Amino acid sequence: MMPGLPSPNYYASAPLESAVLDGADGILLDSGGTDFQLHRARWFASAATALPLNAILCDYLMYYPFVGMDTTDEQAMTQVESLPRYATGEGVQMMVVITNPPSAPTNLTFQVGYTNQDGTSGRITPVQSFGTGTHTGAIGTTSRTGTVYQRGPFLSLQEGDTGVRRVDSFQMLSGTDVGLVSVVLVKPLADITLLEQTAPVEVDFARDFMCMPTILDGAYLGFLVCPSASLASTSLIGSLTTIWSE
Amino acid sequence: MAFSSYDQIISALGGGQYFRADYNKLTHPTGVHVAGETHCLFHSAGNPTNGVLNGGTNLSFQSLCEESTGAIRHGGAVSPDTKHLLNASAFTAAATVAPMTMVLVDLLGYYPMSTVTTTGNQATIHAVTFTADAGTDVITHTGYDIASFTRVQLSTTTTLPAGLSASTDYWTVRQSATTSKLATSYANAVAGVTIDITDAGTGTHTITSYIPRYTTGAGVRWCTVANTALGAGTPNVTCTYTDADGNTGNTIPGTAPASKASAIIGHVDCSGTGAGKYPLLYPLAAGDKGVRSMQQLNLSATHTSGTLAWLLFKPILDIPVTTLGVPGERDMLNETPSLPVIHDGACLAWFLMAGAATPVSSAIYGKIEFIWD
């Protein structure tokens, strides 16, 4: 949701209806209609305040917007679209992105109902807690450094599940707040850390970690970042190099 | 098949023989991890959800696998292919969690001990007699609640039930605390494909459990973990075990590990600083390469309350996390060439060796990538 190149996405579409993202609006990588491998990543930051910073490159698959935090009623999702890639949902993770800031979300709990990678519906996450994030674009379950209930970006799944095929419902549990969130489905692809301002970070995925993540044709690429301090007015600049076989 | 070239690895990656596991674990919600102590994050909230190590009959061997609640999933069984760990990372942005070391292990199983108020040797349970019902294919084994997907072998004084053979690995599918069905492989057990038993056999039949992986015990280590908070008391913790060569009656030498009074859930209770403290790997008898099974568990004094899990596990890799906000990363191909094998059914879990006092509910997250061919 951050300004720059690519243009920000605001998760703006019909409330509670699944919507997909156009890969051309993300970090654009054009392979001419085929899947490809991520070969190298290189980037740096214009300011040191937020560093070190850990980032996860994800393929943003689908989202459910305008989910209200102001009711404990179960909010059912409408399935207009299905996953454009990773169709079974294997390895697909869920995260809750704040689109309209709440006022005091810390420790408010919620659960998400979903269909898992095997197509089994009626799955439900363990009880999740909101963190301290109150600004647009924050992943709602994370918190500022040094506060309790610091969590990772992805929601825990029901025991035994390894992915999400679609989101079926969202329900606040212990209380409510003003604010709206989007439940976003992503496929994590690669991890990159920015250490300091004085030198760019360069990762060769063929030699470092030997993983060369596959990027499927049409992927909408974007980064999740976990900064050490404020990212305000910081530019993150970089490049991704990919390869593919004919 | 082991990888023998970069081309083979790239081919496997391109062929989808790859799995990425994202994990996120929280430290204890009310107990601070003291610097120098080690904690088992298998019990911790997060993703995967918290597991427990106190199921089954007291002092009986309880097998663990990828299907166990709390295990980090790694893509399921791939046999006849061989799965390897490609790389892993661990990251925290929670204050004062770093520096720390994360240790990834394959948890093979445990002996739950609710009798922490008992001193002296307590015999473990690996075997009980059983009867078979040909109509339901169910075996009844009163006195030993056997976890699903436990590797077992059968013996008899006369003739085993038809459909079953002696000295052959089977895998259980738990039906109740006293009943199970049997499968011919781990994969079949997970899939629910069980053996058709066609008669009850004759004589007295015995079912015996074994560790599911690293079957000789080579490289298998042991420790104790507080499965529920322990009460007062600082007993020494010792055991008698069978080693990787099959020799029985082995005991640990030297200073016995000393348990901590009031250890919190997940604490490797003999870890910490001072005499009798071991960070994770409790001692073995001189020359031993590992533990195949444990026969006697011994507390020299009592804890007033709580439960202990006596764990058998295989260490896989460790990741130092030195700096807040900077992930620790391990490349198991180029950086530390080893490509550890991850066996089908491995129950992967993290231990956290605290280098600083770790606040409650601190998050550690990261990913582990696997590849197979």
Side-chain angles (χ1 to χ4, degrees):
Chain A
M1 298 183 72
M2 300 301 111
L5 180 68
S7 298
N9 162 59
Y10 297 108
Y11 301 112
S13 58
L16 306 182
E17 289 186 7
S18 60
V20 298
L21 294 156
D22 187 341
D25 294 331
I27 298 173
L28 181 60
L29 299 170
D30 183 11
S31 66
T34 187
D35 303 337
F36 40 89
Q37 316 294 128
L38 180 62
H39 187 196
R40 294 195 196 91
R42 183 175 185 273
W43 71 338
F44 62 96
S46 63
T49 308
L51 306 183
L53 174 154
N54 189 47
I56 306 175
L57 178 68
C58 296
D59 182 357
Y60 285 64
L61 300 168
M62 200 158 72
Y63 66 94
Y64 299 78
F66 297 109
V67 178
M69 296 176 65
D70 59 339
T71 175
T72 55
D73 292 341
E74 184 180 53
Q75 300 173 66
M77 305 297 169
T78 302
Q79 311 300 334
V80 175
E81 301 277 3
S82 57
L83 286 176
R85 297 169 294 282
Y86 310 99
T88 64
E90 179 67 62
V92 174
Q93 304 286 338
M94 272 192 293
M95 58 185 190
V96 172
V97 179
I98 294 173
T99 53
N100 294 75
S103 61
T106 305
N107 297 340
L108 292 182
T109 57
F110 66 96
Q111 281 184 292
V112 178
Y114 63 95
T115 297
N116 71 7
Q117 73 286 346
D118 294 327
T120 303
S121 60
R123 308 298 283 175
I124 190 160
T125 66
V127 174
Q128 315 283 316
S129 294
F130 278 99
T132 56
T134 56
H135 54 274
T136 302
I139 296 175
T141 50
T142 60
S143 293
R144 291 190 301 271
T145 302
T147 59
V148 296
Y149 302 107
Q150 237 280 346
R151 286 181 169 81
F154 307 129
L155 302 186
S156 302
L157 302 180
Q158 187 168 340
E159 184 264 325
D161 288 348
T162 54
V164 177
R165 187 175 294 187
R166 62 173 183 262
V167 178
D168 297 321
S169 65
F170 180 98
Q171 186 172 20
M172 296 292 292
L173 297 176
S174 63
T176 60
D177 198 342
V178 299
L180 298 169
V181 300
S182 282
V183 182
V184 184
L185 300 181
V186 298
K187 178 68 171 67
L189 297 175
D191 302 77
I192 308 168
T193 301
L194 271 178
L195 295 176
E196 54 184 38
Q197 184 189 7
T198 56
V201 168
E202 298 169 309
V203 180
D204 183 328
F205 290 97
R207 293 181 306 171
D208 306 330
F209 311 109
M210 194 63 205
C211 56
M212 286 214 295
T214 297
I215 299 174
L216 299 182
D217 185 37
Y220 181 105
L221 297 180
F223 281 103
L224 311 176
V225 295
C226 183
S228 296
S230 173
L231 263 178
S233 302
T234 301
S235 297
L236 303 175
I237 306 159
S239 64
L240 300 175
T241 305
T242 58
I243 58 173
W244 62 91
S245 61
E246 294 293 329
Chain B
M1 181 197 318
F3 289 100
S4 59
S5 68
Y6 281 108
D7 286 347
Q8 188 181 357
I9 292 175
I10 293 170
S11 176
L13 289 170
Q17 292 151 229
Y18 162 86
F19 186 88
R20 171 180 169 133
D22 287 87
Y23 69 89
N24 171 26
K25 301 296 283 186
L26 299 179
T27 60
H28 197 274
T30 59
V32 171
H33 294 184
V34 174
E37 291 181 352
T38 302
H39 291 260
C40 182
L41 298 185
F42 188 76
H43 295 84
S44 302
N47 186 23
T49 191
N50 52 297
V52 292
L53 297 173
N54 65 349
T57 310
N58 188 45
L59 303 176
S60 67
F61 179 70
Q62 298 294 307
S63 186
L64 292 168
C65 67
E66 188 181 7
E67 302 297 318
S68 302
T69 301
I72 297 172
R73 298 279 170 153
H74 50 83
V78 301
S79 177
D81 288 351
T82 303
K83 185 183 294 176
H84 299 268
L85 193 154
L86 194 54
N87 59 71
S89 71
F91 168 86
T92 184
T96 75
V97 176
M100 63 165 176
T101 299
M102 296 283 284
V103 181
L104 184 69
V105 306
D106 179 359
L107 293 175
L108 303 175
Y110 64 97
Y111 302 86
M113 175 185 275
S114 59
T115 45
V116 297
T117 54
T118 300
T119 59
N121 279 336
Q122 299 183 61
T124 61
I125 300 170
H126 287 90
V128 289
T129 59
F130 73 92
T131 58
D133 184 333
T136 59
D137 300 331
V138 167
I139 63 170
T140 301
H141 42 77
T142 305
Y144 183 0
D145 183 354
I146 305 176
S148 275
F149 320 124
T150 299
R151 184 174 73 100
V152 298
Q153 292 190 0
L154 312 175
S155 59
T156 185
T157 58
T158 311
T159 306
L160 282 173
L164 304 175
S165 301
S167 303
T168 301
D169 282 347
Y170 295 105
W171 301 84
T172 60
V173 181
R174 184 181 186 274
Q175 307 295 300
S176 74
T178 57
T179 58
S180 297
K181 292 186 177 181
L182 297 173
T184 55
S185 68
Y186 169 76
N188 280 342
V190 172
V193 178
T194 54
I195 296 171
D196 179 19
I197 298 173
T198 55
D199 69 36
T202 56
T204 302
H205 316 311
T206 300
I207 181 170
T208 305
S209 63
Y210 298 92
I211 53 174
R213 303 171 290 281
Y214 308 98
T215 54
T216 64
V220 176
R221 303 303 297 264
W222 72 285
C223 73
T224 52
V225 175
N227 192 67
T228 58
L230 297 175
T234 56
N236 288 113
V237 169
T238 59
C239 67
T240 307
Y241 65 91
T242 298
D243 66 21
D245 295 321
N247 301 312
T248 60
N250 298 283
T251 57
I252 63 173
T255 304
S259 182
K260 177 180 180 178
S262 307
I264 62 174
I265 296 172
H267 182 198
V268 177
D269 61 296
C270 298
S271 69
T273 55
K277 297 302 183 182
Y278 295 85
L280 178 60
L281 309 181
Y282 289 9
L284 300 176
D288 280 351
K289 300 182 290 293
V291 178
R292 188 179 294 184
S293 63
M294 304 173 91
Q295 280 65 55
Q296 301 281 348
L297 311 178
N298 186 303
L299 298 177
S300 64
T302 64
H303 279 290
T304 55
S305 61
T307 60
L308 265 179
W310 296 64
L311 282 177
L312 296 179
F313 62 95
K314 175 71 168 65
I316 296 175
L317 73 88
D318 46 74
I319 302 178
V321 181
T322 61
T323 308
L324 188 70
V326 179
E329 297 170 306
R330 274 284 183 261
D331 169 4
M332 305 309 290
L333 176 65
N334 297 301
E335 182 183 9
T336 53
S338 55
L339 285 181
V341 173
I342 304 298
H343 292 285
D344 284 349
C347 178
L348 299 181
W350 290 103
F351 283 86
L352 186 159
M353 295 181 165
T358 303
V360 301
S361 296
S362 298
I364 298 102
Y365 56 92
K367 51 91 175 175
I368 312 170
E369 293 182 294
F370 306 91
I371 188 173
W372 57 88
D373 195 11

